[in-house]
Structures are given as structure tokens and as C-alpha cells.
Amino acid sequence: MADAAPMENHHPPGTPIVTPATPAGPEATHENENNNAAVDPENEQVQELESELSKLKDKLQSEREAVCDGMLNDTATSLDNLTRVRLKTRRTLNGHAAAIYTMCWRPESHEMVSGSQDGKLLIWDTHTNNKINIITLKCPWVMSSGFAPSGNFVASGGHDNAVSIYGLKGEMLPEKPIAQLTDHNGFISSIRYIDDTQLLCSSGDNSSALWDSNCGTKLTSYEGHTAEVMGLAGSSDNTVFVSGSCDRTAKLWDVRDKVAKQTFTGHDLDINSIAFFPSDRAFVTGSDDNSCKLYDIRSDQAVATYTQLNLNYGIGAVSFSKSGRLLFVACDLDVLIWDTLKSLKVGILSGHEARVSCLGVNSDGNAVCSGSWDAKLKIWN
């Protein structure tokens, strides 16, 4: 009889070969069954608490639905439909060498700032296409920017986990920040000035914070989200703000209180962007689930949903027109325009060659700016 062929070793080189354990006897099997039968008191308590929490959530949702007397588009049926909104590209701003991730209009001005992964903040005169200031950042991974109300300061933040503030007074180009706020343990996703010395920012460390830029101190930390906070938006009087998170919720905060006043649910995936309605009584969120939701603060629930299917990246940014009747939504390479009241698409802004990552309407309400991964900014009206 021929010798049996040696058993092949299919393990990759360097991978330890585990010898199969000897089958357990009847006594060991009986012991395992007894161990499995024993109930861990702590695990049982956790399961009871999870069950109770699920019931409370269902009860809260039922109570919300009970007081909901209709969606916004149902109450707006008597209004005439808007005609097609056709905005044209008035300016294309070229100057960045990499993807643009943030832009912000200067208050009461036709000037704006943009931030890119080329490590530059550029301040533009949108009437002439000229660059007014060029700021070189220490960290090229910029995600957010914001102007102080006076326009004399601009702040940026990103994956360096810090907010860098630059002075814009005088004709000299800012060479280094006049202040850095460095107490966060995650990226800075959004910046909102309250006045020239105090600002709010949201972070990847699951929190938002109120800072005094003069002293460089954190005045209040707003904690309550269970995942990265991707954006925040402040009311017009700067007394409250809303935050959107990867935990799929949005929260309403009083600036004076570190505990959230309301929590809004409904999205199936991360919330990427958030914006207040001009009346301050509602706000909109944009999510990776390819939808935006308009939440009414007084009724504590969503009153409208704006959905665009088959997106590659989800919703990148949101912004309202000055009246609030139009909602601008960054969807992949385009900006969709929605009738806020009727939940109908009434226009589209096309022209970018890569994902639209940021957008904003100026204080006059007569221009929209979009920034893209194609390293270009476009001004529409």
C-alpha cells in the first residue's frame, strides 16, 4: 500500500497553526450548560433598562404624533406654486489648489472667506474676483470658518482640534493667529461668532463649546451628543443654538445653560449640516440618509422632509434664502433649490465638477455662494 500523502498546510507564512482542542467529555459539557443557565444580574438589569428606554421613546413619539395636526406642505396647499427658480453663475472664483471645505460671508458685505485643503484661507471681493487676504494655516485640514460681527476677525478650525483666530485690521497680511483655542479633543466642524470676543464651535469630541477669544478660555461646554457634532447654527439674537450630530439627532441649547433643552430625532444616518430658519422658530438639518428635515421648535417635531434619492455623498450643506421660502441643499455636484413650504424642487444650480461641500446666502439675500471639491467657488443670483 502506498504511503499517505502529507497533509497540506494552507496557513499563510508566519501564521500560527492552532491545534484543535480535544472534544470535551460529558462532564465538561454538563458544566458548560450549568454556566450558561446562570443569569448575570447586571446583564439582566441592562436589558430591563434598554426595554424601558425603548418603551419611553415609543411613548414620546406617540405623543408627538398625537399633537401633530399636519405637515407643512398640507397646510400650504392653498398657496400658488413657485415658478421655476433660475439662477445664473455670476462669478467663478479660482485661487485654491485643493478641495474647498468651508466658506462664510462677511457680515453686511460682499466679501467672503473660503478654506481649502491647500492650507489657505482666502478672503475675496466677490464683485471683482480679487483676493483681499491670503492666510496660510498651520494645519491644511481646515473644516470650518467664521467672521466676527465687525468683520475685523476671522476664525478657522479643522483636524488640528483648535480654533485659530486672525486679525484683519490694517493692510498687513495676517502671518500668524492672534489667538488659538485648544481645549477640544476632536476636529472643529463649525464656528459661530456671538460677538467680537465670544464664539461657539462644534467638535468631533461629541461636544460644542462657548469660548472667550480674548482670554482663550472655554466658558461653557455643551455635552449631550453621543457621537461627533458635525455642525451648529445660532439664532439671530444669539441666545440659542442648534447642533447636529453623527448620533442622528439635533439638539436645541440655551447659550447660558450647558444642558440641552430639546432633542429632535427622525434621521436614519449622520446629520452633516444644520441651519436656522429666518424666524428662529424652526431649523433644517441635512443628513447622510439623503434627506433634509425642517423641525418646528414649538411643536417639537419635524414638519417637512425634503428627500433626494440616489446621492453618492448624502447632504453636504444647507442654507435658507433671506425670506426662508427657498432652501438651498448641496447634493453631490449640484445645489438643489426647494420650496420650503410645499416640499417641491423648484430649481437646480449645476456647474461644479466635484462634490459641493459648502454653501451660504449673503446677508442681503441677493447672492448664493457654493464651494466644491473642484477647488472652485461659484456666486449665483
Side-chain angles (χ1 to χ4, degrees):
M1 181 181 294
D3 294 338
M7 182 179 295
E8 294 184 8
N9 177 14
H10 295 286
H11 292 271
T15 304
I17 300 176
V18 180
T19 304
T22 304
E27 294 180 0
T29 303
H30 182 68
E31 182 178 351
N32 290 337
E33 289 176 353
N34 289 338
N35 290 337
N36 292 334
V39 178
D40 184 355
E42 290 186 3
N43 188 43
E44 185 178 20
Q45 185 179 15
V46 169
Q47 291 178 353
E48 290 177 356
L49 290 173
E50 288 178 345
S51 177
E52 183 179 356
L53 178 61
S54 178
K55 292 178 181 179
L56 288 173
K57 286 182 177 179
D58 292 341
K59 181 181 178 181
L60 178 60
Q61 185 60 32
S62 298
E63 291 178 354
R64 282 175 172 168
E65 293 174 355
V67 298
C68 180
D69 54 2
M71 299 297 283
L72 186 60
N73 59 339
D74 295 328
T75 60
T77 53
S78 61
L79 296 177
D80 294 334
N81 290 337
L82 293 178
T83 58
R84 187 77 175 174
V85 177
R86 304 181 187 276
L87 303 184
K88 295 183 178 180
T89 306
R90 302 300 180 181
R91 294 279 191 276
T92 298
L93 308 182
N94 296 290
H96 284 294
I100 294 170
Y101 273 81
T102 178
M103 60 77 49
C104 180
W105 288 96
R106 202 170 196 163
E108 307 299 329
S109 173
H110 56 268
E111 298 172 0
M112 53 162 288
V113 65
S114 59
S116 164
Q117 288 190 353
D118 61 8
K120 297 288 192 299
L121 280 184
L122 300 182
I123 299 177
W124 302 84
D125 183 331
T126 60
H127 285 183
T128 64
N129 282 25
N130 293 332
K131 293 181 278 291
I132 301 171
N133 278 304
I134 301 175
I135 301 173
T136 301
L137 304 171
K138 291 183 178 181
C139 174
W141 296 95
V142 61
M143 294 179 65
S144 55
S145 60
F147 273 110
S150 67
N152 292 330
F153 306 96
V154 65
S156 70
H159 282 275
D160 58 354
N161 301 354
V163 177
S164 299
I165 300 172
Y166 298 86
L168 301 177
K169 294 180 180 179
E171 298 180 358
M172 298 295 293
L173 294 179
E175 295 184 358
K176 60 181 182 179
I178 61 174
Q180 280 196 300
L181 313 177
T182 58
D183 195 39
H184 279 289
N185 296 317
F187 56 78
I188 306 300
S189 58
S190 184
I191 297 172
R192 163 81 180 192
Y193 266 95
I194 290 179
D195 54 38
D196 274 17
T197 61
Q198 293 188 353
L199 59 87
L200 292 161
C201 65
S202 57
S203 172
D205 62 10
N206 303 358
S207 74
S208 301
L210 175 66
W211 290 85
D212 185 317
S213 60
N214 282 349
C215 303
T217 56
K218 185 187 290 186
L219 302 177
T220 309
S221 181
Y222 307 96
E223 300 178 3
H225 285 293
T226 58
E228 297 94 332
V229 184
M230 298 304 296
L232 62 79
S235 61
S236 57
D237 61 2
N238 290 316
T239 58
V240 298
F241 71 95
V242 286
S243 58
S245 168
C246 291
D247 65 8
R248 308 176 187 181
T249 70
K251 291 182 181 290
L252 176 73
W253 311 80
D254 187 314
V255 173
R256 301 164 297 180
D257 193 348
K258 60 183 180 181
V259 179
K261 299 301 181 184
Q262 290 173 254
T263 298
F264 300 85
T265 60
H267 281 294
D268 297 323
L269 293 173
D270 302 357
I271 295 176
N272 296 323
S273 56
I274 195 164
F276 252 110
F277 191 76
S279 69
D280 291 338
R281 295 178 177 176
F283 63 91
V284 71
T285 54
S287 170
D288 276 341
D289 64 10
N290 297 347
S291 75
C292 297
K293 289 185 179 294
L294 182 68
Y295 291 96
D296 180 76
I297 294 173
R298 294 168 298 179
S299 64
D300 194 39
Q301 60 190 303
V303 293
T305 300
Y306 317 92
T307 302
Q308 177 65 23
L309 301 177
N310 303 319
L311 296 181
N312 293 321
Y313 302 109
I315 305 300
V318 291
S319 186
F320 283 107
S321 63
K322 189 172 184 178
S323 68
R325 182 66 189 269
L326 300 179
L327 172 63
F328 298 91
V329 180
C331 299
D332 289 352
L333 278 63
D334 303 316
V335 177
L336 297 183
I337 308 174
W338 290 82
D339 182 338
T340 306
L341 299 181
K342 288 180 167 288
S343 300
L344 298 175
K345 280 179 283 187
V346 293
I348 185 171
L349 308 180
S350 299
H352 283 292
E353 299 170 1
R355 184 190 186 188
V356 178
S357 56
C358 52
L359 60 86
V361 177
N362 68 353
S363 55
D364 290 337
N366 57 16
V368 182
C369 178
S370 57
S372 168
W373 288 0
D374 63 10
K376 298 177 183 178
L377 297 145
K378 290 184 179 292
I379 310 296
W380 314 78
N381 68 12

